[in-house]
Every structure is written in structure tokens, then in C-alpha cells.
Amino acid sequence: MSATPAFNPPHRILMGPGPSGAHPQVLRAMGAPLIGHLDPDFLKIMDQVRAMCRQVMRTENAHTLVTPGTGTSGMEAAVMNLVEPGNRVVVGINGYFSDRIAQMAERAGGEVTRVPFAWGSPVDPDAMERAIRGAGGPVKLVAAVHAETSTGVETPIAPLAKLAHDHGALMLADCVTSLGGIPVEGDAWGADAIYSGTQKCLSAPPGVAPLTIGPAAWDAIRARETPCNTWYLDLNLLETYWDERRSYHHTAPISMIYAVHQALALVLEEGLEARWARHERNGRALQAGLEAMGLVLHADEGYRLPVLTTVRIPEGVSDAEVRGALLNRHNIEIGGGLGDLRGKAWRIGLMGESSTPGNVLLALSSLGKILREQGYRADLRAALDTAAARLDQP
Ligand SMILES: *Cc1c(COP(=O)(O)O)cnc(C)c1O
């Protein structure tokens, strides 16, 4: 008889661009007994998930749910439902994920205008306005990524939403990395659609995507002339399961719904403001420490995300060796550069459960030590002193 393969995933400290470390209570919730996807007790749990998603996304939108699948499923649901063949779409492209939105909008048959920005800068409303005016006719949808995980940059959404509305368009915001980490103010921004994911600052495993659709966007989805070209993520169909009709559409990923329920409850128990302040403090301490060590942060100052820091790889240092040593010797995962930043920058996440003062100091000391082995004169002492001092501030 041959032995079955050993199953022994290591304990890692997840400080990359996602997934973040899941909260132990979230993992425990996933071990709760399965019940049917139409069991009245499960439907109650779904209703609570809806209500908590609204609270965490700061919206009153009736059409709020979680799509089955990772953050990308939320993106695909939003884009495929909101874009019909021939619709004009203007996307601010300042990183890998904004480009993915544009690719999806093209697959939906949209006439897409990509407005390029440096990978490390936010989406600029003036350039977006010029693109909207130059699109050749009425624009249906304006899209941008609130927290670009590929570059570590925050783009303020409210000015873009105002711009979109001034031109009769809808505003779509990707909040995959921002939700639960930095302020997301769905209704106050005027965003018409927002999607997120569970594996970044919500600290649940990857698996479902919170999504909210405002009244104007919902009207546009209802008024489509052609059915949306995804059946699985067709919001008209999905809504028949999430609302009082309770029709079978797919078998909900029960354990993931448990997980997101528990994760949202933990966010609300901590309090959104307290949680944002925690992410802010830890992120700024890490950034101050990296600079004190002698490293250069990549993202434009004033737009740096506290939840995801991009730092340039110094000359003469091996990207792969440093990340390998962090993982194999220190059990720490950080991310390499994506797209334009491949081999040029590291991405260090401090999201959800992973955003702790201990992880800030651990990342600085471990990275500093490995950089020294690589011949880079990292000032470890200044890094730790500076970060420790910043951690004592609010
Ligand atoms: C991670 C991420 C996604 C995609 O989420 P997956 O869970 O990997 O599918 C989309 N947008 C942004 C900004 C992200 O950070």
C-alpha cells in the first residue's frame, strides 16, 4: 500500500500583497457544520452578511452581496454587468489591476479608453476628464482602483465619481485592498459600484467578493438590451438568490460565507475608525523604518497606502535571494514586483491580522539582516529606532 502524501502547510507570516493572515476565529468559523444553501438558518446568515457588507462599505445600497470567487469575481461581475457591447468605458490605468478592469471591459464589448499614469502615481482627475471629453460620445462607465496593490498607491475616488456623474457616467471603484484597511465611503464618495475581496484587509481566506451596486447602476443593469455574457456572475440572476425570492442559482460556498460573516463581524467589533488607525500607524512605521534603513519607497509621497508598501530593490541586491531567505529562514512572505515593477520593487503588505507592530519590527529586522548579507549597508538600528518611535504615535 502506498503512503498518502503528507499534508503539512507551514506557518507563514503573510506580509505580501495577499492573502493576509486569516483571523483564527475566521478559520474556526469555516469548520462549523455545513447546512444547506436554502436552509432558513443559512438564509439568515446571508442576510446578516449583506447587512454587514453595507456597514463595512458604508452604503445603503439594497443590491449588496458577495459573489462566489476571489476578488476578481467581484471585478468580473461589476464589469460584465455594467458594460454592454458598444458602451464607452474610461479606465484610469496606474497599475496591474486597473489594466485588468480594462481587459474585462474590452471582453464585454466596450469601447475602452485607457488613460495611462505612471506605476507609482494616482489617477489624475484632470486627465480623466480630458479622456471622457475625447471619448467620442457619452461615456457609460468610469473605473479606477482605489488601492493599487501592484504599486502601493491610493487614488481618491470621490473626485472621480463627481467627474463621472457630471458627464452622465457611472463610477466603478475597485476596493479589494482598501476595504477594512483604509476608509471606504461608498455612499459619501458617490460610487455607483464597489467590489472587494476577502483575503486582503478583511483577513479571511480568498473565496468570495463583497460587491455593492447603487440605484443608478442597478437601473442600468436592469435596462440592458443584451443579457450579460456571464451566466454565473449575472447579477440579475444572483439577486434572485440573495433577495426574498431565494431561487437556486448556485450552491453557495457555505464555509466561505461563514468565513466572511465572521470576518465582517470582527471588523465591526474592532470599529472601522480604530481599524483604519491601526493600519495607518503600522504602515507609516514600516515606511519610516524602511527609509531610515536607507531604502527608497516607490509610490508618490502623499498617496502611499499604509496597507501595501512598495520599496525599491537596491542596486546589486538579488530580488529572488532576498525573498527566498525571508521565506525559507524567517517564514515571512513578501511580494515581488508585478508588471512594470518586476525585479525593481518589493511589495510589503500590512493587511488585517498581519498589520501588527510586531510584524513591522520583524519585517524590518529580517529584511535588514538579509540585505546586509547581500552587501547592502542597511542601517538596522536607525530602522528599528525610527519605526519604534512612529509606533508610539497615534
Ligand atoms: C488582489 C486584487 C484583486 C484580485 O483579487 P483576487 O482575490 O486575486 O482575485 C483585484 N484588485 C486589486 C486591487 C487587488 O489587490
Side-chain angles (χ1 to χ4, degrees):
M1 211 174 71
S2 62
T4 53
F7 178 70
N8 258 329
H11 276 276
R12 301 285 198 213
I13 297 158
L14 295 175
M15 299 183 68
S20 62
H23 194 289
Q25 272 176 259
V26 170
L27 294 177
R28 271 204 297 282
M30 296 184 80
L34 291 187
I35 56 180
H37 62 285
L38 292 170
D39 185 315
D41 278 304
F42 186 71
L43 300 178
K44 245 184 267 168
I45 290 170
M46 286 173 70
D47 285 342
Q48 290 162 357
V49 166
R50 286 200 112 162
M52 287 192 287
C53 277
R54 287 189 193 109
Q55 280 178 274
V56 171
M57 294 170 126
R58 301 258 198 164
T59 178
E60 311 258 294
N61 290 342
H63 303 289
T64 303
L65 46 75
V66 302
T67 54
T70 63
T72 306
S73 77
M75 184 191 288
E76 190 138 306
V79 174
M80 292 301 168
N81 282 272
L82 287 170
V83 180
E84 283 190 77
N87 284 169
R88 289 183 192 82
V89 181
V90 175
V91 188
I93 312 274
N94 65 334
Y96 180 90
F97 290 104
S98 29
D99 188 72
R100 184 178 286 185
I101 298 176
Q103 290 176 34
M104 285 184 184
E106 281 161 357
R107 288 191 184 208
E111 280 181 36
V112 179
T113 304
R114 292 158 182 260
V115 193
F117 300 94
W119 280 46
S121 300
V123 171
D124 168 46
D126 293 336
M128 291 292 277
E129 175 145 45
R130 285 193 294 277
I132 293 169
R133 288 185 190 282
V139 170
K140 167 83 170 286
L141 185 69
V142 174
V145 175
H146 182 216
E148 243 305 348
T149 321
S150 62
T151 63
V153 166
E154 174 176 358
T155 286
I157 298 299
L160 296 176
K162 180 174 184 306
L163 188 63
H165 297 161
D166 287 349
H167 292 273
L170 298 167
M171 180 70 211
L172 170 63
D174 174 319
C175 293
V176 176
T177 283
S178 50
L179 192 68
I182 64 171
V184 168
E185 298 279 1
D187 288 354
W189 288 346
D192 295 287
I194 288 176
Y195 58 86
S196 188
T198 43
Q199 49 133 329
K200 312 270 167 100
C201 293
L202 295 182
S203 272
V208 292
L211 169 69
T212 188
I213 303 285
W218 188 252
D219 287 347
I221 291 171
R222 299 291 298 173
R224 284 183 68 107
E225 284 168 10
T226 52
C228 153
N229 65 5
T230 158
W231 192 93
Y232 193 47
L233 296 174
D234 182 332
L235 288 171
N236 275 308
L237 299 179
L238 273 172
E239 185 64 18
T240 66
Y241 176 35
W242 281 84
D243 74 14
E244 60 295 336
R245 286 169 283 179
R246 303 299 188 185
S247 342
Y248 165 70
H249 170 265
H250 66 286
T251 309
I254 308 290
S255 309
M256 263 318 295
I257 302 287
Y258 293 168
V260 73
H261 187 284
Q262 183 62 67
L264 293 165
L266 286 164
V267 170
L268 293 169
E269 278 165 28
E270 181 175 2
L272 281 171
E273 279 83 3
R275 195 175 176 93
W276 296 334
R278 168 166 67 85
H279 282 88
E280 174 75 16
R281 184 169 54 247
N282 293 330
R284 300 311 172 206
L286 175 73
Q287 290 165 0
L290 290 168
E291 289 192 303
M293 194 186 290
L295 298 173
V296 177
L297 300 178
H298 175 74
D300 290 357
E301 200 171 355
Y303 296 92
R304 287 175 190 153
L305 289 167
V307 299
L308 192 284
T309 296
T310 42
V311 58
R312 297 209 184 117
I313 301 172
E315 201 76 31
V317 165
S318 160
D319 174 17
E321 281 176 27
V322 170
R323 280 191 292 127
L326 279 171
L327 190 70
N328 298 321
R329 284 166 33 204
H330 299 247
N331 260 318
I332 298 174
E333 177 177 280
I334 67 165
L338 209 53
D340 287 4
L341 297 184
R342 175 173 289 276
K344 294 187 190 140
W346 289 309
R347 296 184 295 154
I348 307 177
L350 286 170
M351 303 180 186
E353 277 307 285
S354 294
S355 176
T356 65
N359 278 351
V360 170
L361 299 175
L362 185 67
L364 289 170
S365 52
S366 305
L367 180 63
K369 177 175 184 298
I370 294 164
L371 282 173
R372 283 183 167 198
E373 291 166 7
Q374 289 266 321
Y376 176 81
R377 295 166 70 103
D379 192 339
L380 253 173
R381 179 162 212 160
L384 293 174
D385 282 348
T386 305
R390 181 63 185 84
L391 286 170
D392 286 336
Q393 291 167 33

